[in-house]
Each structure stands twice: as C-alpha cells, then as structure tokens.
Amino acid sequence: MLDVTVIEDSAAAAVSLDPMRARLLAELATGPASAAMLAGRVGLPRQKVNYHLRALERHGLVELAGERRKGNVTERLMRATAASYVISPLALAAVQPDPARFRDQLSARWMLAVAARLVRDVGTLITGAVKARKRLATYALDGEVRFASAADRAAFVEELTHGVGALIAKYHDENAEGGREHRIVVALHPTVKSDPPAAKAIEESS
C-alpha cells in the first residue's frame, strides 16, 4: 500500500468523493476486509457494500488482498491501494487553476493556483516514475516560524526572497547540456489552528 497517491481521473475523483465510499476507503486503509466485515462497521447491507467496493475497484482505489472461505461462501478481502488520496487538478482539467493567468506574490488565491500546479505536476511525475520504475528526485521543506510583529514578517519575506534569488542565480545554468529544469515553490502563510474557529484564525492572520 502506498502512503499517498494522486487521483488524476475525473471519474475516480467523483467515486472517491462519495461520503460512504470515502468511509470505506478509510476502513480499508487500516487493513483488508470483506464486504460482510465492512457492512457491520458502516451500517449498510453487505450487497450495498459490495456495490460500492466494485465501483472503487474499477477505478483502482481498492484492490484484492486475498480470499477466504466462510461456510459455503468465498469472501473477497479488499484493501485500499493507498493510505490517503489527493485529487489532482487534472481531474478538473477544463477549470484547473493556472498561475500564469496572473501573478501576485501577496495574493492567497495565486498561492492556491501555485499549490494546485504543484499537486498536478508532482502527481504526474509520480505516475511516470512508477511506470518507469525509477526513483523521483524531489525535496520539500516544511517548518513553522512565529513572528513578533508584521514588520518582522515583512523583513523575513524580503530576506527569503533575496536569499532564494541568490541561490537561483548561483546555480542556474541556461546552457547546461543535458541539464534539467526544476521548479522551486516557496510559500508563507499563517498556521491554521485546529482549536479556535476558522473565523478567529482568519482574524489573527490579518
């Protein structure tokens, strides 16, 4: 089972977003189970669970883990193909965000467009790497910083911009034969707090 997989097909995305099927995916992420076992957990008849499992299986979201005999019946044990799923903007290709339409480094919506492109591109790269049976060279940095004031935040952004820009200028080689372009994404946003209501988190970010 993969830790995370990206859903790129619109039909698969629609299947995964059904509340009951999402519940079944969550159950099967913890371990293989049959339709009869799942029926008791989710409160549905076994036949209805089988219907949902067949839909998930058609789109590669669950797979056969094994079979077992129970009386005169052979039960299929299913498992999720991943512990969690991310839906790529490719699933809504006609309306996916395009960061090239506008560029505003201080716009939260532009940041969303950049993040959506990141999910789309990395998902495509993962799919290609799996087919080629090659390791994908990526790097991500995740951290948290607490600013004492808005002025400190602005100073941090300025230093970050100059620092990353200097690194790009140092290592970028337009004429490198056999070189490969890499995309750099740096983002800064207020941390979303889980306890306070969303409105308070937005108020604190302003």
Side-chain angles (χ1 to χ4, degrees):
M1 178 192 294
L2 298 172
D3 183 36
V4 181
T5 195
V6 180
I7 298 173
E8 298 177 321
D9 178 69
S10 58
V15 166
S16 70
L17 289 172
D18 176 271
M20 180 50 66
R21 291 168 184 172
R23 171 80 185 279
L24 292 173
L25 283 176
E27 293 288 343
L28 292 174
T30 64
S34 66
M37 295 164 63
L38 291 167
R41 297 181 198 172
V42 302
L44 282 182
R46 178 179 57 82
Q47 294 85 350
K48 193 68 174 177
V49 171
N50 260 325
Y51 167 77
H52 289 307
L53 289 177
R54 284 195 295 270
L56 291 168
E57 188 177 14
R58 279 197 302 272
H59 294 285
L61 301 175
V62 302
E63 62 187 3
L64 183 66
E67 295 179 336
R68 71 173 186 179
R69 291 284 297 178
K70 192 172 182 180
N72 295 326
V73 178
T74 299
E75 290 189 331
R76 302 175 80 225
L77 297 174
M78 307 301 294
R79 66 183 172 200
T81 53
S84 55
Y85 300 84
V86 175
I87 296 177
S88 169
L90 284 177
L92 292 169
V95 291
Q96 64 178 305
D98 181 7
R101 288 187 195 137
F102 61 96
R103 183 181 181 88
D104 182 354
Q105 292 176 308
L106 300 180
S107 167
R109 298 186 188 281
W110 186 70
M111 181 187 289
L112 270 182
V114 172
R117 182 184 61 193
L118 178 67
V119 171
R120 181 199 67 193
D121 290 354
V122 174
T124 299
L125 289 167
I126 288 174
T127 300
V130 169
K131 289 180 180 178
R133 296 185 179 181
K134 291 184 177 180
R135 188 170 180 269
L136 183 59
T138 59
Y139 168 78
L141 178 65
D142 181 35
E144 193 169 359
V145 56
R146 185 182 180 91
F147 297 112
S149 66
D152 283 352
R153 181 177 61 192
F156 177 87
V157 169
E158 185 176 357
E159 288 189 42
L160 182 65
T161 301
H162 290 319
V164 173
L167 281 172
I168 293 174
K170 179 179 178 180
Y171 288 100
H172 178 66
D173 188 345
E174 187 70 36
N175 301 313
E177 187 175 348
R180 181 173 183 179
E181 292 81 5
H182 285 65
R183 186 173 294 282
I184 300 166
V185 176
V186 179
L188 177 70
H189 63 79
T191 301
V192 177
K193 301 183 184 301
S194 55
D195 293 332
K200 189 169 190 286
I202 294 173
E203 179 184 342
E204 291 177 350
S205 71
S206 59

